[in-house]
Amino acid sequence: MRSLGAYVVLVLVVLMSPSIMCAQTASQSGPIKHEGIPPICQGAGRFNCASPPVKGQATDTEPATDAWGRTARRREAAKDSKPGPAPRHDISGIWRVTGVDEFGFNGPGIFGAGAMPSDGWPDHEPPYTKEGLAAYHSHRPVWGIDAVAPAQTNDPVKACDPQGFPRDDLHGFGTTQILQTPVQVVMLYGGGYKDWRVIWADGRALPKDPDPTWTGYSTGKWVDDTTFVVETNGTDDRTWLDNAGRPHTDEMRVEERFHRVDQDTLELTVIINDPKYYTRPWAALDKQPFKLQPADSSIGEGRCVPSEMALYDSLISKPGNPEANK
């Protein structure tokens, strides 16, 4: 039953009933954009938000142990010391998301793209075209302002389809390992869905008429000593952009900007450009910070297993939704 227990933890992050209690309101990064309780947390039948954070409360803590049950080595440093400068042309390492979103979750992605969560604030709605809005309304996510019960969702991941890209960046992107070679940057995603992708850095152009894949085709280049810019096309339109069910077409282009702020800090910005579904490009992540982890850290496993998903449905999802059995 150990695997079932681990899987229930996974699905509670991905496919959970809207009766969950949100944690305290806090900004993802930078100044708080809105004051008060997000609209998604207000009114009967909505998510129930807890009280604001207590002064001095920690908003980010490192896990006590890794996937091997080992205590991670922490860097010993004086309180007033500063991280060293960012190395040139190097974003390699094991990186863990830091900070909390407006609901108090560590890292972005539970209620949709971190810079554009589906929380009911009007300026957090992407700039849909008429066709894009229709595609969005055909999706039934478990999270966000238009959430449904788990048994009613048509989220592709419930059938164990891959999250795909850019959802790998926009949901469950808690810890990842980045490997570099002279011609490639390889992303090894941890979190809820163990996935990987290759970013080619050998000067090749993106394919002009690609056969769509789950993670698309990615090329990257250094635009300065500490900023690596990635362009991706050819993504499979069966995937959702994020946990809130935002859609995309197979003509979407995604830009990622990995900026190494210093030795210990990496920032990621993700821009969505899909003219068929959105009237203009929009930021799904905006300088989301990550902290460098010890080199001996281990990323836990997260996989979608059809047999465990079926068991979850029979024990939790369907019993919690009487309408599903009618």
Side-chain angles (χ1 to χ4, degrees):
M1 295 299 292
R2 182 176 60 181
S3 60
L4 174 59
Y7 187 69
V8 168
V9 171
L10 170 63
V11 294
L12 289 178
V13 174
V14 183
L15 298 169
M16 186 161 38
S17 169
S19 63
I20 184 173
M21 291 188 66
C22 300
Q24 64 272 9
T25 300
S27 63
Q28 170 204 337
S29 61
I32 297 174
K33 293 183 62 177
H34 305 94
E35 295 182 358
I37 300 174
I40 194 174
C41 303
Q42 303 178 34
R46 307 309 300 169
F47 291 85
N48 182 19
C49 288
S51 59
V54 177
K55 184 177 181 180
Q57 179 180 357
T59 58
D60 182 51
T61 57
E62 295 184 25
T65 59
D66 65 11
W68 288 60
R70 302 169 67 251
T71 302
R73 293 201 308 260
R74 296 173 183 266
R75 179 174 299 175
E76 298 295 335
K79 292 183 179 179
D80 58 350
S81 66
K82 296 181 179 180
R88 181 177 183 273
H89 290 186
D90 185 4
I91 57 172
S92 64
I94 299 173
W95 298 95
R96 179 173 177 265
V97 70
T98 187
V100 294
D101 65 12
E102 67 174 318
F103 303 98
F105 288 103
N106 286 325
I110 299 297
F111 286 81
M116 198 77 78
S118 180
D119 55 10
W121 295 117
D123 60 332
H124 281 169
E125 283 300 306
Y128 293 111
T129 63
K130 182 178 180 180
E131 189 172 359
L133 188 60
Y136 168 68
H137 284 311
S138 72
H139 295 169
R140 299 193 297 274
V142 173
W143 295 90
I145 197 69
D146 295 313
V148 301
Q152 297 174 329
T153 187
N154 59 359
D155 191 336
V157 302
K158 189 177 182 182
C160 284
D161 280 1
Q163 277 205 137
F165 181 82
R167 194 172 177 181
D168 277 338
D169 276 3
L170 303 180
H171 172 238
F173 193 14
T175 304
T176 191
Q177 184 165 8
I178 302 178
L179 307 176
Q180 286 184 224
T181 76
V183 297
Q184 293 177 330
V185 171
V186 180
M187 304 284 296
L188 303 178
Y189 293 97
Y193 289 84
K194 208 171 185 70
D195 204 354
W196 61 277
R197 57 189 273 251
V198 172
I199 301 167
W200 288 97
D202 57 358
R204 71 179 68 188
L206 287 173
K208 294 183 179 180
D209 187 22
D211 183 21
T213 68
W214 296 112
T215 56
Y217 303 79
S218 300
T219 63
K221 64 180 180 180
W222 293 95
V223 296
D224 58 38
D225 285 350
T226 58
T227 307
F228 186 64
V229 176
V230 180
E231 296 285 341
T232 300
N233 71 349
T235 52
D236 194 311
D237 61 6
R238 288 175 292 177
T239 64
W240 291 1
L241 278 179
D242 63 9
N243 224 30
R246 276 72 177 262
H248 70 91
T249 71
D250 59 7
E251 298 177 8
M252 174 182 63
R253 293 283 290 261
V254 180
E255 178 186 284
E256 297 166 281
R257 298 183 71 88
F258 295 87
H259 175 57
R260 187 84 177 256
V261 178
D262 54 40
Q263 174 66 35
D264 294 346
T265 309
L266 183 69
E267 290 179 343
L268 173 60
T269 296
V270 178
I271 305 295
I272 306 297
N273 187 5
D274 191 349
K276 189 175 181 180
Y277 277 1
Y278 302 99
T279 60
R280 58 177 171 77
W282 55 280
L285 283 184
D286 184 16
K287 297 182 179 179
Q288 173 63 45
F290 293 78
K291 289 298 182 182
L292 186 65
Q293 300 301 293
D296 64 346
S297 299
S298 175
I299 301 175
E301 181 182 70
R303 298 186 187 276
C304 189
V305 181
S307 60
E308 292 183 344
M309 181 61 82
L311 183 58
Y312 167 79
D313 280 342
S314 67
L315 296 178
I316 300 173
S317 179
K318 292 180 180 178
N321 178 32
E323 295 296 323
N325 298 315
K326 291 182 178 181

